[in-house]
């Protein structure tokens, strides 16, 4: 109990200080920042007609392209490529077997000419066949050493400073923050608590099936080369319903993969908030939208504009982009 | 923020008062009560070698037979039977179609002679074909009027007073409490927060598949007559891994369906706690174990004894059984 009191007091102090010092300091004073603050004030002020009890303050965040970057490709894809290289000595047959042979030669284009089937083969070869505990260690070890090909920063520093501030601001206002990502749930959980302050139990993602086994009397969960759930597009509201079991009042995304999550969130009664991060900053980050193969933002951009969702123009609305830029 | 502070202060006050007045007042001063308190002190005392950070204090509870009763049959089964009766006018074909015809005549034995397949037909006929929002209302409406056949109490009052105290005691000590039940997750979520103080996002259960649809532009999740996940036996560690993503340090169950959950929980490092509720009180509740078709406790009882898990002898260890007995 004592510890709890202490942590809570510290949290209050930090919260108060942060608010005094502008909790959204990396956001320019443009539309999105104002819309966020207005929404939060609306749902937290007890006398507001749109007041929402603390139990119902659920906010969901996409991860790739919303909380961290996703170029030149989804970081989990880069993880898979590194794993193929690391595992190649144990798989001499990969030298002549596609898509592995092309991958090992660095020819991604030929490797993925096989489309989704080829992609799935790589995912299963690198994500299945070990226990959940073993996989967690593989992810942690990779993150400890791997560097982004362009910035040469660790991937866990390729997170957006404005979004970190937003997460903290929402939590300081009684929100429970969840990740709802197309990425693998067990690829995210080892680091989301440290990086975003989001505990494993508040991470929803895609998954493969696992199997309970007793290994010399000790239970393990083995990761099987079999899809369980794709937490993308129509899968996002399904994942939200399955894991959270109540409708969020705020949703944050950046691509067409988030469209149904934003539709589902805004279809509830009372005040609702939907935000799309539009990648418009070729200099500090990347500029892409309707024609990108990664994080395509096309239908959701049209629908967001039509429905008055908040659209972040990264170039104009963010003072700082990456956490590592902050002095 | 103000509200949060207020709720926290109220929670502290309540917590402190409860502790002063014996937080486990409905437990006799026998072994299980002592074991619970000893475990909680071990993991919460900062100087203890078994201290566990507040983030890792995850406790999982089975529901049927652990938090509420499960006789003469699982309450969700009684819900399904009531739904068959309610829906019968819309299904004239049920008069001659098994298992519905027998059910409507009150002949459960013939109805379920078809085993699991017959059971599944009843589940799907009563749990699928509507939206998630509609199903939630059906459950709430049923709970508001339905009465237990023996005690004539609402089902949500058939909860065990000692377990309510245990939930509150753990939470007052920084634990996050989860339900991990073979029951349907959407059958539980509408009432677990009110009855147990466990919010929907901390309820893991069995589920059927849902489908995202736009109905006149408004998104709905339709419940499909297709199994998604069975959260029982080996499914419990899988469900825990999928939803919580970290290993609990304490697990509470009452049947062989909980065995793997207790194995999984106790296989972690550091202090671990496993408890089985043994239904030994034919007078105040029911007495059943190895041969019961509902909540069978056989293998888990042997393994629990062999491994020194805490086994609650309901008759001797509980001062009060049901919440409604408490004056």
């Amino acid at each position: 109990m004592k510890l709890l009191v202490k942590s809570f007091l510290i949290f209050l102090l930090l919260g108060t200080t942060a608010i005094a010092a502008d909790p959204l300091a990396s956001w320019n004073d443009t539309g999105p920042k104002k819309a966020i603050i207005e929404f939060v004030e609306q749902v937290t002020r007890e006398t507001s007609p749109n007041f929402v009890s603390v139990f119902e303050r659920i906010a969901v965040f996409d991860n790739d392209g919303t909380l961290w970057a996703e170029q030149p490709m989804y970081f989990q894809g880069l993880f898979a490529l590194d794993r193929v290289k690391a595992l190649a000595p144990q798989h001499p047959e990969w030298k002549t077997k596609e898509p592995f042979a092309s991958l090992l030669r660095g020819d991604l284009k030929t490797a993925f000419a096989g489309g989704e089937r080829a992609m799935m083969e790589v995912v299963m070869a690198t994500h299945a066949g070990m226990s959940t505990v073993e996989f967690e260690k593989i992810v942690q070890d990779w993150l400890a050493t791997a560097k982004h090909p362009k910035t040469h920063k660790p991937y866990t520093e390729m997170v957006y400073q404005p979004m970190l501030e937003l997460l903290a601001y929402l939590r300081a206002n009684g929100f429970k923050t969840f990740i709802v990502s197309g990425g693998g749930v067990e690829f995210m959980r080892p680091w989301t608590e440290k990086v975003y302050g989001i505990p494993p139990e508040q991470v929803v993602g895609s998954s493969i099936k696992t199997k309970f086994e007793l290994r010399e009397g000790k239970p393990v969960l083995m990761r099987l080369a079999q899809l369980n759930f794709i937490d993308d597009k129509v899968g996002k509201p399904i994942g939200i319903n399955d894991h959270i079991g109540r409708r969020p009042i705020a949703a944050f995304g950046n691509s067409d993969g988030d469209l149904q999550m934003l539709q589902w969130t805004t279809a509830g009664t009372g005040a609702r908030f939907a935000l799309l991060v539009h990648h418009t900053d070729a200099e500090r980050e990347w500029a892409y939208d309707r024609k990108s193969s990664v994080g395509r933002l096309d239908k959701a951009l049209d629908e967001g504009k039509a429905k008055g969702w908040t659209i972040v123009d990264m170039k104009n609305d963010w003072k700082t982009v990456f956490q590592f830029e902050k002095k």
Side-chain angles (χ1 to χ4, degrees), chain A residues 30 55-56 80 91 94 100 110 126 179 184 197 220 229 263 292 327:
Chain A
T30 45
F55 306 105
E56 300 279 345
H91 292 274
W94 284 357
F100 303 99
T110 308
T126 52
I179 290 174
V220 290
F229 182 65
Q263 290 173 336
S292 177
K327 299 294 162 288

Side-chain angles (χ1 to χ4, degrees), chain A residues 77-91 94 100 102-108 122 126 142:
Chain A
L78 296 167
F79 163 77
L81 296 187
D82 282 352
R83 289 303 297 158
V84 167
K85 283 177 212 153
L87 291 170
Q90 296 163 48
H91 292 274
W94 284 357
F100 303 99
S102 298
L103 277 187
L104 290 169
R105 283 192 312 269
D107 178 1
L108 270 66
V122 175
T126 52
W142 180 75

